[in-house]
Amino acid sequence: MANFNKITNICKLFNKININGTRKLINNSIDSRNIFTTNAKYDLMEFFDDKKNWGVQEVKSGRSWNKEELRLKSNADLHKLWYVLLKERNMLLTMEQEAKDQTRLFPSPERIDKVEDSMENLEVVVRERNKAYHELETGENGERPGKMETSVFGLRYYYKMCEYVVPKHMNKRWHKKYQFYKYDKDTEAFLLKYREKLYMTKRRKQRRDFNHVIGLLNRFPNMDMEALKHHYPDVDINKAKASRKYGGHFAPK
Amino acid sequence: MRITNLLFSRVGKWSKQYSNLPDRYIKRAMEQVYWRNPKGIQYKPNAVIQRKKYLFTLNRPWTAEFRQDNAPGKRHPKVFVEPIKEWSFFRGDRVEILVGKDKGKQGIVKQIIEERNWVIVEGLNCELKQLGNDKDFSGVYIRSEKPLLVTTEIALVDPSDLTATPIEWRFTEDGQKVRVSTRTGRIIPIPATAEETIDYKTKATYKEQPKDTGANEVTDITFVPKLCTFEMDIMENMGIKEDRIPAKSYWY
């Protein structure tokens, strides 16, 4: 019984917190009317587009926010804009899924990319500001630390560090999960073959480019050589011209 | 360079300019990913298997026709495209045609396909296509422009004497890059239509859409430099106080 009372009390507490929270949100959203473009509805229909845009061929929209513009905005504005964008993205993804379900056309799918571009740019700007603060105050950038590590397979990769409650030497689970490279005969054999494969891919690309340049030289004898050098910097053009595949009686259309 | 970047860089700047679509969308619309490695500890993280060779025709990369041209499993003979140093033909340019039955005629550039060094000149170099011909019905003829190679098949027209001329990119004294006719030395200005997109004629005449943020609001500077992080500022604005001292933690 005592437990049940406790739970009900906790529920009540949560309810209170929730009510306060929503009230605050509503007040804030009214203050930020300069960015809001749609009427506040606060129901599930917010996940759907305006009814005018249902079943149309195209919905016109502007471009995404770029970093220069976002740098002009205060933190509070960016915070509001983030939620505007998030809601818009939710709406677009819902509409896309709905269109897919009903095998209808989802008009102007590039809107999703525009919103996501804006969100990415916004995140970059926020991180810039935080980095500036941390570098000024602590001398470090305050980003999630990481370093280059060698994986069990002997390949280098960027290891993103995590925050743990216990130090490294006590964390058995971490040691089990993250194993880095230690000398191993089989891995060395693998690496030898892997590097050979990479080398062969590189060689193949070089040969392909070389042959392509010969093909170009045969087809376009009056080609701009500087442009050719710019596009294929690794190809020795004199060597290509010396090749037996160059010139001859080959006359393509 | 990643394969995705390589793939993406193939769609020329001027061939997608008129469509006014974000690069991200064009990439998403044209790519064909057959396999992506799942996230986690991998021998090859982020490995992607996708189509690398695309056939570029008059169909733009974000259209269904392009997808049909490059359907999975479809292969095409290799296309040799002459490398060009700098693109110098823009929408709205007056050009003279040097080959074909319209040789010597001048027209306006309507569309650019940079991937193939192609340009479409309005109303010139046309072909007639017979559609829907039957035993009883002769079909309908449809006229459509054929593309022209910018390297050999067209030349820009000098505005001073209205004749074709080879051009060169030079710098003016103000440091502006301009096209100059090598015959007369006159500057060939880039037409205003080069900036035109499907959504607007010029940037100034863009009609704002209901969800757009107004130009004044975008340029309005609300940023105030403050010695705090983004999160600290937001917490202060919202009246959230956080005095708890976090427990000791370890980063590794």
Side-chain angles (χ1 to χ4, degrees), chain B residues 126-175:
Chain B
C126 290
E127 65 173 345
L128 282 175
K129 247 186 201 166
Q130 198 181 16
L131 285 182
N133 50 330
D134 215 319
K135 256 190 280 175
D136 325 312
F137 182 51
S138 62
V140 190
Y141 281 93
I142 287 178
R143 201 179 65 158
S144 58
E145 292 107 337
K146 278 189 292 178
L148 288 157
L149 277 175
V150 293
T151 46
T152 49
E153 295 176 355
I154 56 165
L156 277 174
V157 168
D158 192 329
S160 63
D161 54 5
L162 290 178
T163 45
T165 170
I167 64 123
E168 209 171 60
W169 282 93
R170 287 187 201 156
F171 285 96
T172 60
E173 280 181 5
D174 317 334

Side-chain angles (χ1 to χ4, degrees), chain A residues 93-223:
Chain A
L93 292 174
T94 311
M95 289 305 286
E96 192 188 30
Q97 185 57 40
E98 193 62 22
K100 213 182 262 175
D101 288 350
Q102 299 191 9
T103 56
R104 295 271 192 86
L105 173 91
F106 172 57
S108 305
E110 75 274 5
R111 286 181 291 164
I112 296 174
D113 299 271
K114 283 176 183 173
V115 171
E116 277 180 359
D117 267 342
S118 306
M119 288 171 90
E120 258 176 27
N121 289 343
L122 198 151
E123 230 170 7
V124 167
V125 171
V126 168
R127 283 174 91 166
E128 263 175 22
R129 286 181 189 177
N130 285 0
K131 264 190 212 167
Y133 169 81
H134 281 111
E135 265 166 12
L136 194 66
E137 291 288 292
T138 65
E140 283 164 12
N141 61 11
E143 294 275 294
R144 179 180 179 179
K147 59 182 174 189
M148 289 306 287
E149 275 285 4
T150 314
S151 71
V152 212
F153 303 106
L155 303 170
R156 300 284 286 168
Y157 77 107
Y158 186 75
Y159 170 70
K160 284 180 191 162
M161 293 186 187
C162 284
E163 198 175 12
Y164 296 97
V165 189
V166 286
K168 199 173 178 177
H169 66 274
M170 285 163 70
N171 199 340
K172 270 185 195 165
R173 259 166 67 193
W174 183 85
H175 280 286
K176 211 174 172 188
K177 191 178 173 191
Y178 294 100
Q179 286 167 3
F180 300 111
Y181 181 63
K182 273 181 271 168
Y183 177 78
D184 180 58
K185 211 170 69 185
D186 296 334
T187 317
E188 284 298 320
F190 158 72
L191 279 177
L192 189 74
K193 291 195 174 85
Y194 182 69
R195 283 178 197 135
E196 186 188 350
K197 200 181 163 190
L198 289 185
Y199 173 72
M200 292 307 283
T201 342
K202 201 176 121 192
R203 282 285 305 174
R204 239 172 259 139
K205 190 188 172 286
Q206 276 174 0
R207 199 175 311 133
R208 198 165 52 236
D209 282 352
F210 183 77
N211 286 335
H212 187 74
V213 165
I214 294 173
L216 285 173
L217 286 167
N218 283 334
R219 278 167 184 80
F220 313 108
N222 305 324
M223 189 170 33

Side-chain angles (χ1 to χ4, degrees), chain B residues 64-245:
Chain B
E65 289 87 356
F66 181 86
R67 236 169 295 141
Q68 228 168 40
D69 281 352
N70 295 286
K74 239 186 191 178
R75 303 178 82 190
H76 309 282
K78 190 173 179 177
V79 179
F80 283 86
V81 181
E82 188 177 336
I84 296 181
K85 220 156 131 204
E86 202 157 356
W87 190 262
S88 15
F89 295 84
F90 305 101
R91 265 176 55 90
D93 267 334
R94 181 178 284 273
V95 291
E96 190 171 310
I97 294 180
L98 308 177
V99 290
K101 64 173 183 199
D102 286 331
K103 185 175 173 177
K105 285 186 189 170
Q106 292 183 359
I108 305 293
V109 173
K110 196 173 86 172
Q111 199 189 345
I112 298 164
I113 293 126
E114 239 185 291
E115 303 82 54
R116 292 289 292 267
N117 284 350
W118 279 349
V119 139
I120 286 180
V121 180
E122 208 169 356
L124 293 180
N125 199 37
C126 290
E127 65 173 345
L128 282 175
K129 247 186 201 166
Q130 198 181 16
L131 285 182
N133 50 330
D134 215 319
K135 256 190 280 175
D136 325 312
F137 182 51
S138 62
V140 190
Y141 281 93
I142 287 178
R143 201 179 65 158
S144 58
E145 292 107 337
K146 278 189 292 178
L148 288 157
L149 277 175
V150 293
T151 46
T152 49
E153 295 176 355
I154 56 165
L156 277 174
V157 168
D158 192 329
S160 63
D161 54 5
L162 290 178
T163 45
T165 170
I167 64 123
E168 209 171 60
W169 282 93
R170 287 187 201 156
F171 285 96
T172 60
E173 280 181 5
D174 317 334
Q176 223 185 356
K177 216 174 180 186
V178 288
R179 295 179 299 176
V180 177
S181 151
T182 43
R183 189 158 48 74
T184 57
R186 275 285 296 263
I187 291 174
I188 306 174
I190 293 171
T193 28
E195 289 296 312
E196 186 187 330
T197 70
I198 195 160
D199 295 327
Y200 53 83
K201 290 257 179 200
T202 60
K203 277 181 183 169
T205 55
Y206 172 71
K207 197 183 149 222
E208 268 178 24
Q209 300 303 324
K211 281 191 176 172
D212 289 357
T213 313
N216 295 334
E217 269 165 51
V218 172
T219 47
D220 183 27
I221 302 172
T222 55
F223 176 64
V224 189
K226 229 182 196 180
L227 194 65
C228 61
T229 63
F230 178 81
E231 290 81 7
M232 281 152 78
D233 195 17
I234 297 298
M235 280 166 78
E236 199 192 308
N237 284 347
M238 291 189 146
I240 302 169
K241 276 206 182 91
E242 180 63 74
D243 315 315
R244 286 177 296 175
I245 297 159

Side-chain angles (χ1 to χ4, degrees), chain A residues 47-110:
Chain A
F47 279 106
F48 292 87
D49 204 354
D50 199 356
K51 266 193 178 169
K52 277 186 287 180
N53 294 338
W54 292 8
V56 292
Q57 283 290 316
E58 191 191 22
V59 181
K60 289 264 182 198
S61 58
R63 60 168 172 80
S64 48
W65 283 79
N66 57 34
K67 282 171 206 149
E68 289 79 19
E69 288 157 1
L70 291 166
R71 282 188 191 116
L72 304 178
K73 297 294 168 201
S74 67
N75 289 336
D77 277 353
L78 290 185
H79 191 228
K80 284 167 200 163
L81 181 62
W82 174 264
Y83 283 99
V84 171
L85 291 167
L86 187 71
K87 275 178 76 178
E88 185 68 12
R89 190 179 69 172
N90 276 342
M91 185 278 282
L92 290 169
L93 292 174
T94 311
M95 289 305 286
E96 192 188 30
Q97 185 57 40
E98 193 62 22
K100 213 182 262 175
D101 288 350
Q102 299 191 9
T103 56
R104 295 271 192 86
L105 173 91
F106 172 57
S108 305
E110 75 274 5

